[in-house]
Amino acid sequence: MDSGQRGTILVVEDEKKISDIVRVYLEKDGFRTVVADTGEKAIKSLKEHFDLIILDLLLPDMQGEELCSLIRESSDVPIIMLTAKSGEEDRIRGLGIGADDYVVKPFSPRELVARVKAHLRRTRKSEKIRSFNNGALKMDAANYEMKKGDVMVTLTPTEFKILLALAEKPGRVLSRLQLVNMVQGYNFEGYDRTIDAHIKNLRHKIEDDPKNPTLIKTIYAIGYKFIGTPDEN
Ligand code: CA
């Protein structure tokens, strides 16, 4: 199987021996892997999309818990924690830091890969295709694809995230700042007015008449609201 066909996994682990083993096993199974050996490198690499994150609890520059809650501020990517000492598993269970699973070292790489696959199966099932206005707009969040009717429309990742953030809360007004926080994540360069420029481009791509939008409505002085109607499925 080609590397990366199954998805991309971020491995945050400072012990090279361990990250090497994890990487080899994941790649053997068709995953693409990115390894970060510090918390700082992990945060930097988060601009890329990952299907799952394997996160060591003890990093040289940061606690895994801290990194986990940071990731959770902007993403619900599945996280599997690697813990070294007995007792750490109790900490994870007790802290409710947003990890989806944990594996205690020393662990079987095969078991870790099996858990990775189980989590991905679960997420993929929940990422169903969203359809609005009798199929006029369809969004496939798992593949970053959008269709207007039957025509595939190319959106930039930021446009896609803005549209998804709005479409997930039909009828609810989101302020520009809320949208910046929801779509930019760790990319702090965004200024809330840049949202207006993205919305303008989005409307040209998704609305029949961008001047009379039927999907994204401007709420004067506040932000935007998704006014499409979700289809029953
Ligand atoms: Ca460590």
Side-chain angles (χ1 to χ4, degrees):
M1 191 178 282
D2 287 344
S3 177
Q5 209 171 314
R6 281 204 126 121
T8 304
I9 315 290
L10 174 64
V11 181
V12 189
E13 168 63 73
D14 58 314
E15 280 163 81
K16 196 170 178 305
K17 253 203 290 191
I18 294 174
S19 65
D20 278 349
I21 288 179
V22 171
R23 189 172 49 75
V24 165
Y25 272 80
L26 285 170
E27 288 179 358
K28 208 165 67 182
D29 239 294
F31 291 101
R32 190 172 86 82
T33 55
V34 173
V35 175
D37 60 5
T38 64
E40 202 195 327
K41 283 185 197 160
I43 290 171
K44 277 192 186 143
S45 61
L46 284 170
K47 283 175 185 167
E48 192 187 327
H49 166 82
F50 292 104
D51 297 288
L52 186 141
I53 297 176
I54 294 172
L55 180 56
D56 178 30
L57 194 64
L58 284 173
L59 296 165
D61 58 339
M62 195 182 274
Q63 292 288 315
E65 295 108 311
E66 197 187 332
L67 187 53
C68 185
S69 5
L70 246 141
I71 295 168
R72 277 286 168 267
E73 282 175 16
S74 67
S75 164
D76 51 10
V77 60
I79 297 175
I80 299 179
M81 284 289 219
L82 296 181
T83 76
K85 290 174 277 180
S86 60
E88 277 182 348
E89 50 182 299
D90 298 326
R91 263 164 77 196
I92 290 175
R93 237 182 308 202
L95 281 170
I97 49 173
D100 298 275
D101 201 355
Y102 63 89
V103 170
V104 181
K105 291 176 186 174
F107 55 87
S108 137
R110 273 202 206 134
E111 195 204 323
L112 179 64
V113 172
R115 291 213 200 178
V116 166
K117 287 185 195 164
H119 281 283
L120 291 180
R121 269 198 301 275
R122 228 169 289 161
T123 358
R124 279 180 186 152
K125 248 189 236 162
S126 65
E127 281 182 344
K128 61 174 195 296
I129 292 174
R130 295 162 176 83
S131 172
F132 302 91
N133 293 4
N134 297 316
L137 174 77
K138 289 189 208 100
M139 298 188 76
D140 177 356
N143 295 304
Y144 271 61
E145 281 174 1
M146 197 226 110
K147 276 183 175 175
K148 187 180 177 217
D150 289 321
V151 183
M152 190 80 81
V153 177
T154 308
L155 301 181
T156 67
T158 303
E159 286 166 2
F160 193 92
K161 285 183 201 163
I162 291 173
L163 182 58
L164 188 63
L166 286 161
E168 277 181 332
K169 298 180 171 59
R172 232 179 82 186
V173 183
L174 294 176
S175 72
R176 291 180 177 83
L177 198 61
Q178 277 174 315
L179 284 167
V180 169
N181 289 334
M182 287 163 95
V183 305
Q184 303 280 62
Y186 294 93
N187 222 336
F188 290 111
E189 302 136 36
Y191 174 61
D192 59 356
R193 288 285 159 184
T194 60
I195 290 288
D196 297 350
H198 290 303
I199 295 274
K200 197 177 160 201
N201 294 336
L202 251 178
R203 278 186 175 142
H204 279 278
K205 292 179 181 178
I206 65 171
E207 299 277 5
D208 288 328
D209 176 5
K211 292 218 165 70
N212 294 295
T214 59
L215 291 165
I216 300 174
K217 192 178 173 188
T218 306
I219 307 300
Y220 180 72
I222 300 173
Y224 297 95
K225 175 163 96 170
F226 189 80
I227 50 171
T229 313
D231 297 330
E232 309 258 341
N233 47 358

